[in-house]
Amino acid sequence: MAVVDTANSATRAILDAALVEFERHGFQRVALDDVARRAGVSRTTIYRRFANRDELVAAVIERENVVLFADIAAELSRAEKPANYYVEAFTQSILMFRRHRVLNQMMTEEPALVLELGRRHHGAAIERMADALRVIFPAGFADRIGAAAVDDLAETILRYAAMVLLLPSAEPLDTPERLRAFAERHFVPSLPAALRAVPV
């Protein structure tokens, strides 16, 4: 995906308009003419910044994910110290993702697109989650366990989050309590033993 200057006012207007259109019509059914009209720009202006609709979709999701992960980190850093940081990071990631109307809509209505974007942008997603974890953890903890362990935890959170968000469950995972119980039973035991052995 090409690097997009999201600080540019026209680009911001296009991304804002696309987000509204995606929410109204879904990612696959949006017409670029509608995005251009809502943004107050021409189709040519859109194509100067995005080679095709797929690039525009990826740019919107990237921008929304950056904001979402920053919000997750801020929420957890403000909260009282949880009984288990791993469980709470996992639980809050799921809850806040579900509150994001467009990203959650994409998960429920267009799972094939989610998997394709996940395949293409897996590294960037791990990097964002790892950055959020460094904010969430107590001072010095990320340095103590090392960058590789933080990345490993970030990837594990993302893989289990995708499973919860994309796959049906015999037991509804629809409340914070149920998500925490799931994390304690399945997510935490999947972490490397070396990581679980380090107190947070």
Side-chain angles (χ1 to χ4, degrees), residues 110-146:
E110 304 185 64
L113 175 63
V114 174
L115 293 172
E116 173 58 22
L117 289 169
R119 183 186 65 78
R120 276 194 251 161
H121 305 292
H122 185 63
I126 291 172
E127 191 175 315
R128 282 193 302 271
M129 187 73 230
D131 287 343
L133 288 172
R134 290 184 179 93
V135 174
I136 294 162
F137 285 141
F141 181 76
D143 292 334
R144 201 159 79 245
I145 64 174

Side-chain angles (χ1 to χ4, degrees), residues 117-196:
L117 289 169
R119 183 186 65 78
R120 276 194 251 161
H121 305 292
H122 185 63
I126 291 172
E127 191 175 315
R128 282 193 302 271
M129 187 73 230
D131 287 343
L133 288 172
R134 290 184 179 93
V135 174
I136 294 162
F137 285 141
F141 181 76
D143 292 334
R144 201 159 79 245
I145 64 174
V150 174
D151 287 347
D152 198 5
L153 176 58
E155 182 166 18
T156 306
I157 289 174
L158 290 172
R159 287 187 182 280
Y160 271 79
M163 181 171 66
V164 168
L165 291 164
L166 286 169
L167 299 177
S169 173
E171 202 176 292
L173 299 175
D174 54 0
T175 67
E177 293 73 24
R178 287 175 173 170
L179 284 167
R180 289 186 185 100
F182 173 88
E184 286 165 0
R185 283 199 314 272
H186 301 289
F187 168 66
V188 172
S190 76
L191 297 175
L195 190 59
R196 282 184 280 127

Side-chain angles (χ1 to χ4, degrees), residues 18 22 34 62 129 153 157 198:
F22 292 153
D34 292 337
E62 171 68 13
M129 187 73 230
L153 176 58
I157 289 174
V198 180

Side-chain angles (χ1 to χ4, degrees), residues 47-64:
Y47 281 118
R48 280 197 202 105
R49 290 159 173 79
F50 307 97
N52 50 48
R53 186 174 59 181
D54 287 348
E55 266 201 15
L56 177 59
V57 168
V60 169
I61 292 169
E62 171 68 13
R63 185 183 73 164
E64 294 306 300

